[in-house]
Amino acid sequence: QVQLVESGGGLVQAGGSLRLSCAASGTDLSINDMGWYRQAPGKQRELVATFTTGGSTNYADSVKGRFTISRDSAKITVYLLMNSLKPEDTAVYYCHARIVTFPNTVFDYWGQGTQVTVSS
């Protein structure tokens, strides 16, 4: 069972920055995808930024140029540096990890979520 532990959320003024961290543990299997989603009140959970199996990154259009995802060399900790934050970035941010086992069984894991609040 994979555990994802997030940290780094909080309250920040518009234009400010925050850095989120997510550490994975509990598996010896390679994590295929790992990244961040968010869910604002009354809205569906949406992709923010993620690393895919091939090592490439995907970003939501709304955060491109402002947010940067990175990871450690062991690929079990991911970070999300959020710059130029806007009130519309306010949400609970969830770390996500996906493991795909042979032949094609998908396991999705979620962190407990960390609140990010951007005041105007």
Side-chain angles (χ1 to χ4, degrees), residues 42-113:
K43 295 187 177 181
Q44 289 188 330
R45 192 171 296 188
E46 63 176 1
L47 171 73
V48 177
T50 190
F51 281 100
T52 62
T53 302
S56 62
T57 54
N58 287 332
Y59 289 92
D61 287 342
S62 60
V63 306
K64 285 179 180 177
R66 300 188 297 122
F67 291 10
T68 303
I69 191 170
S70 61
R71 61 185 176 184
D72 67 341
S73 58
K75 302 179 183 179
I76 60 172
T77 302
V78 293
Y79 307 93
L80 185 68
L81 177 60
M82 305 183 292
N83 293 324
S84 303
L85 282 161
K86 304 176 181 179
E88 51 263 44
D89 294 317
T90 295
V92 178
Y93 284 68
Y94 295 93
C95 183
H96 168 259
R98 172 168 289 179
I99 294 175
V100 181
T101 61
F102 182 83
N104 196 27
T105 302
V106 177
F107 298 90
D108 285 309
Y109 300 94
W110 296 93
Q112 79 281 3

